[in-house]
Amino acid sequence: MLTALGDRLAERGQRLAYHYHLGTVVEDADDLARLIDATGESVGLVIDTGHARLGGIDPVAVIRDHPARVAHVHAKDVRPGVAAATIGQGASFLDGVLAGMFTVPGDGAIDFAPVCAALRAIGYAGWIVIEAEQDPALAPPAAYARAGLAHLKALWG
């Protein structure tokens, strides 16, 4: 069904981009493998580094192993200790977000150099959204976005 939709969109010059996400039907590595196995290449993926890390998905491996699937990128860093203390203890996804389990690239635990290298290796030229999913009262979005962009630009080369 998703492949048929992806094919139909492709006929119209658009791309289906499936976004795996914590708390949804595709949130971990096994879920993502099943999605990839069950669909054709017209079903692109949003490579979301933060949701990948917390869901046990290696975004570099996905980029390397399925380059034709890379449709869009959300660059988001994680604070694993905050995630463990919130959603890891049964708190809601929103509780984890408000506590700061996500942040912008360069402000958490993800090494973005391999991610950037993998994207460069496949010739990726699409959008990269700098994302944080943080409480804006505690983390001013513009300042954090500038910091995340500066970090990625320094790594991109």
Side-chain angles (χ1 to χ4, degrees), residues 135-157:
D135 182 347
L138 302 175
Y144 273 78
R146 281 191 295 275
L149 179 59
H151 183 71
L152 290 181
K153 280 184 171 181
L155 294 174
W156 197 266

Side-chain angles (χ1 to χ4, degrees), residues 39-125:
T39 59
E41 287 189 355
S42 66
V43 178
L45 297 172
V46 174
I47 304 299
D48 188 309
T49 56
H51 288 282
R53 170 71 183 264
L54 295 181
I57 297 167
D58 178 355
V60 174
V62 175
I63 295 164
R64 180 192 63 234
D65 297 344
H66 306 284
R69 298 281 188 137
V70 179
H72 193 72
V73 177
H74 287 185
K76 174 173 38 245
D77 215 331
V78 298
R79 296 180 180 118
V82 176
T86 55
I87 62 171
Q89 298 297 316
S92 73
F93 176 79
L94 180 58
D95 290 335
V97 168
L98 293 175
M101 72 179 176
F102 291 123
T103 187
V104 295
D107 190 41
I110 296 176
D111 180 1
F112 279 87
V115 175
C116 290
L119 290 169
R120 279 194 317 273
I122 67 165
Y124 182 74

